[in-house]
């Protein structure tokens, strides 16, 4: 499989990367890998593997557009319901992705972060991610959040537990607890809420992704399956986003 590298001068010439009204934080539900493969009579895992090049393309496009934060839904807490071999295949992909693209990510000043319950992931996933986090720690370009073993209800429940513990230890006052402090107990502490949510693969649901953080986010859905998602669709989403009027309840 030919990999489109992040530093691809050819691609640079073929797209116009907008500069105005760029969402600072884009979150993506990368859905449709399984169907992409099944349509071609191949095992679902082939679709997951193909999805890696789409990730590289979109990270690259986000860097070009000077997006500040990109959060990718990689594996949900519900995805443990899948057959074991598929789970294992998906959880090996971060290592594979990073073994190909980490040098490119470094030279593009990308900082990698993870959100989700890392503890219950296999060591090969955790260690690959941790290595990338450590290597890219000093970068101040695009922040790339990989949502791995992420579930929003689990995240909110965890936040509640942290808050109750801190209140009982008198580290936090119940009367002073506000939305901003609450956000500080989530995996996304310190990260601005997404401005734009993209979901590929045709489904129109959140599937337990960033329920708190998406309260005022603009949504953009496409039937395009994730392995087929490219700069063209990404720029289309940005174009539509730039036309939206965000009112936050005002007039
Ligand atoms: C998204 O693609 C990737 C993950 C959930 C890990 P799917 O595997 O859900 O593909 P479809 O939706 O079955 O086509
Ligand atoms: C959402 O896709 C999770 C990820 C993309 C990682 P799913 O395929 O798991 O979602 P549902 O099951 O269609 O809601
Ligand atoms: Mg799916």
């Amino acid at each position: 499989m030919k990999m489109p590298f992040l530093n691809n001068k050819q691609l640079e010439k073929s797209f116009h990367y907008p500069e105005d009204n760029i969402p600072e934080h884009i979150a993506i539900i990368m859905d449709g890998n399984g169907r992409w493969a099944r349509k071609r009579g191949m095992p679902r895992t082939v679709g997951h593997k193909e999805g890696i090049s789409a990730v590289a393309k979109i990270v690259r496009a986000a860097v070009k557009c000077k997006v500040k934060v990109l959060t990718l839904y990689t594996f949900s807490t519900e995805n443990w319901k899948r057959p074991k071999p598929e789970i294992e295949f998906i959880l090996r992909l971060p290592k594979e992705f990073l073994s190909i693209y980490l040098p490119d990510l470094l030279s593009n000043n990308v900082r990698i972060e993870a959100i989700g319950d890392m503890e219950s992931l296999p060591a090969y996933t955790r260690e690959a991610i941790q290595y990338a986090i450590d290597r890219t720690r000093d970068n101040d370009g695009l922040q790339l959040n990989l949502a791995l073993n992420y579930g929003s209800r689990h995240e909110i429940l965890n936040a509640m537990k942290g808050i109750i513990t801190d209140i009982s230890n008198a580290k936090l006052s119940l009367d002073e607890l506000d939305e901003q402090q609450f956000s500080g107990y989530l995996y996304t502490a310190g990260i601005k809420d997404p401005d734009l949510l993209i979901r590929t693969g045709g489904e129109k649901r959140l599937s337990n992704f960033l329920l708190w953080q998406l309260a005022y986010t603009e949504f953009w859905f496409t039937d395009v399956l994730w392995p087929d998602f490219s700069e063209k669709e990404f720029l289309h989403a940005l174009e539509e986003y730039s036309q939206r009027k965000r009112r936050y309840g005002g007039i």
Side-chain angles (χ1 to χ4, degrees):
M1 188 180 13
K2 199 170 165 293
M3 295 287 178
F5 284 95
L6 293 173
N7 301 312
N8 185 331
K9 292 277 178 290
Q10 208 72 34
L11 273 175
E12 205 148 312
K13 284 187 198 126
S14 50
F15 289 101
H16 167 70
Y17 296 100
E19 285 169 17
D20 299 325
N21 277 328
I22 297 294
E24 280 184 30
H25 181 177
I26 302 178
I28 308 185
I29 302 176
M30 310 182 289
D31 196 22
N33 294 349
R35 278 165 286 161
W36 185 93
R38 296 308 301 148
K39 263 181 32 185
R40 288 163 176 76
M42 295 189 284
R44 293 174 52 82
T45 47
V46 175
H48 295 310
K49 190 164 165 89
E50 191 65 25
I52 287 191
S53 8
V55 171
K57 281 184 211 165
I58 298 316
V59 169
R60 181 181 179 285
V63 168
K64 291 286 159 207
C65 296
K66 301 197 171 57
V67 170
K68 293 203 166 85
V69 185
L70 180 66
T71 300
L72 301 179
Y73 206 5
T74 308
F75 188 82
S76 78
T77 47
E78 286 68 36
N79 288 147
W80 294 107
K81 291 177 192 158
R82 296 188 179 202
K84 237 179 156 172
E86 179 171 345
I87 295 175
E88 208 187 297
F89 191 92
I90 296 171
L91 293 180
R92 284 192 189 280
L93 289 178
K95 184 169 182 179
E96 190 164 336
F97 172 77
L98 292 165
S99 69
I100 302 169
Y101 291 108
L102 189 58
D104 278 345
L105 295 168
L106 279 164
S107 67
N108 278 283
N109 199 19
V110 175
R111 182 160 65 87
I112 299 190
E113 278 294 344
I115 59 169
D117 178 10
M118 294 294 116
E119 301 290 298
S120 5
L121 288 172
Y124 52 78
T125 315
R126 231 179 322 118
E127 285 162 10
I129 301 275
Q130 195 52 54
Y131 178 73
I133 293 175
D134 294 341
R135 284 294 309 275
T136 60
R137 196 178 295 282
D138 296 329
N139 291 353
D140 59 3
L142 174 74
Q143 176 177 347
L144 176 61
N145 297 318
L146 301 175
L148 263 166
N149 196 16
Y150 174 89
S152 196
R153 289 190 170 179
H154 178 265
E155 173 184 43
I156 292 170
L157 196 60
N158 238 6
M160 281 307 302
K161 289 181 184 173
I163 287 168
I164 292 167
T165 308
D166 284 354
I167 289 176
S168 32
N169 295 333
K171 278 199 212 151
L172 185 71
S173 133
L174 182 56
D175 292 334
E176 283 164 20
L177 179 64
D178 59 13
E179 290 181 10
Q180 205 189 333
Q181 277 182 317
F182 187 92
S183 300
Y185 284 84
L186 300 170
Y187 291 126
T188 50
I191 303 171
K192 180 189 193 285
D193 288 341
D195 300 294
L196 174 65
L197 171 83
I198 295 174
R199 181 170 188 147
T200 65
E203 310 293 359
K204 299 196 176 51
R205 53 178 171 252
L206 293 180
S207 304
N208 203 11
F209 192 43
L210 302 173
L211 303 181
W212 169 279
Q213 297 87 339
L214 296 176
Y216 260 110
T217 300
E218 297 296 324
F219 289 7
W220 194 82
F221 297 102
T222 174
D223 289 336
V224 173
L225 304 172
W226 177 252
D228 288 330
F229 193 74
S230 67
E231 282 91 350
K232 187 170 142 265
E233 286 81 23
F234 182 76
L235 295 176
H236 185 188
L238 292 195
E239 166 66 26
E240 281 195 19
Y241 171 85
S242 72
Q243 309 296 323
R244 303 265 179 102
K245 297 275 172 289
R246 303 183 74 185
R247 282 183 288 275
Y248 301 98
I251 53 170

